[in-house]
Amino acid sequence: MRHHFALPCPRLLAAAILWLLCILTYKTACAPLSLDSSAASPRLHRRDVIPSYETIKQHYVEDKSKATVFYSGLGPNSKKRLVELAKDPKVRGRICEESFRKDAAFPGLFCDKRPGMSDDQYKKFCIRFSKVLAERASGTAYVVLKGGKADPKSIWTEHELPALQKNGRVTSIVQIDFDSGKKSPIWPKAKLRRREPEQVEERQQEQQQQQLEGLSSLLARREPGRAVGRSTPPKGAAPGKAAAEKARALCVKVPLRRVKLD
């Protein structure tokens, strides 16, 4: 007895083939792309339009010989002038593009807008790498501004400046005017030392005691009859004690610089 096997419906066969192709295409598109040949290198998925904070941090290039230069609100066509200010011998700094390494996943300038990024995504990307720059900066940090003021809602004001102030390795922040190149420190600001009332009173007593001892030693060396205000010391009092009493009275009534002796 012979068995006859019927071929499947052409439509079902085409649907199955199409389903298999979709699965293979999805897996290929989601496959991770290696940044370099090293085993410890971070990996960036092709679906990730915005690099993660850890990926950006691992791309940072340490260079303590150069200061970190930030900028805000410069507008278009300002790159050449910005580089000139950063390369100033008194600054010896580097901007964002020089602070990160390039590889297969990040060709060209690291801080540029990536293909497929929206404006909101690019702003989020800028916040991430700005945070890395501020956290890894050391020594004196610089910021280039126009007109001496930054937008209160800018990345510099909301993210970079607070991160720099929290960074214990940053000693000062200097502002550079974009047009004139004038430099002015903006942090840390000079703070008035506030003393406790007890400390002020104690210091005043120490100064008064020093004045008293100075006058006492000076008057004790002079003849009792030549003391200021009296021809002879009080009866029953030693010359040294009389001089100390006179010196105490002078310290209370007359400033030290105005006392004149014959």
Side-chain angles (χ1 to χ4, degrees):
M1 182 177 180
R2 297 181 178 179
H3 298 277
H4 298 279
F5 296 95
L7 294 174
C9 179
R11 292 184 178 179
L12 293 176
L13 183 60
I17 294 174
L18 181 61
W19 180 72
L20 290 174
L21 290 175
C22 290
I23 293 177
L24 293 175
T25 303
Y26 177 79
K27 289 185 176 181
T28 303
C30 297
L33 176 64
S34 177
L35 295 176
D36 53 36
S37 57
S38 62
S41 173
R43 304 177 72 86
L44 177 68
H45 292 273
R46 294 178 181 178
R47 292 184 300 172
D48 296 337
V49 178
I50 306 175
S52 66
Y53 171 79
E54 292 298 328
T55 300
I56 298 173
K57 189 175 180 180
Q58 293 177 10
H59 277 72
Y60 180 81
V61 179
E62 190 80 25
D63 188 357
K64 295 183 179 180
S65 64
K66 294 183 180 180
T68 305
V69 179
F70 299 84
Y71 52 91
S72 179
L74 302 185
N77 303 324
S78 59
K79 185 69 171 294
K80 183 178 180 181
R81 174 60 176 168
L82 176 63
V83 173
E84 290 177 357
L85 294 173
K87 299 300 181 183
D88 187 295
K90 295 182 179 179
V91 177
R92 291 180 55 84
R94 60 176 182 170
I95 58 178
C96 169
E97 287 80 0
E98 301 171 319
S99 303
F100 297 93
R101 62 181 174 87
K102 308 175 184 65
D103 50 34
F106 296 99
L109 298 178
F110 184 91
C111 303
D112 282 356
K113 189 175 182 180
R114 295 286 180 272
M117 274 188 181
S118 63
D119 292 341
D120 292 339
Q121 290 174 333
Y122 182 61
K123 183 178 180 180
K124 189 175 182 180
F125 175 49
C126 291
I127 292 174
R128 288 182 181 179
F129 69 69
S130 297
K131 183 180 178 182
V132 173
L133 286 174
E135 291 177 347
R136 301 296 294 272
S138 61
T140 301
Y142 296 86
V143 57
V144 180
L145 301 174
K146 271 191 174 182
K149 293 183 179 180
D151 186 352
K153 298 296 183 180
S154 64
I155 296 177
W156 162 254
T157 304
E158 293 187 341
H159 300 277
E160 294 172 334
L161 179 59
L164 286 172
Q165 292 173 337
K166 294 178 182 179
N167 186 349
R169 299 187 302 173
V170 175
T171 57
S172 62
I173 304 174
V174 177
Q175 175 182 307
I176 304 177
D177 185 76
F178 180 79
D179 297 319
S180 64
K182 182 180 178 181
K183 304 173 184 63
S184 55
I186 59 175
W187 185 87
K189 295 181 179 179
K191 297 181 180 180
L192 296 177
R193 296 174 59 186
R194 301 182 61 183
R195 296 182 178 180
E196 297 295 334
E198 295 80 3
Q199 296 178 348
V200 176
E201 184 178 357
E202 182 179 355
R203 181 58 180 169
Q204 291 176 349
Q205 291 178 356
E206 291 179 358
Q207 293 177 350
Q208 185 175 2
Q209 183 66 24
Q210 291 175 359
Q211 292 178 350
L212 178 61
E213 292 176 355
L215 278 175
S216 298
S217 61
L218 181 62
L219 293 176
R221 291 194 300 266
R222 299 182 64 86
E223 296 179 4
R226 300 289 301 276
V228 177
R230 289 187 180 182
S231 58
T232 58
K235 294 183 179 180
K241 185 176 180 180
E245 292 178 356
K246 186 61 180 177
R248 184 178 292 104
L250 289 174
C251 289
V252 174
K253 297 180 181 180
V254 184
L256 177 62
R257 61 178 180 273
R258 295 182 181 179
V259 176
K260 295 183 179 179
L261 301 177
D262 296 336

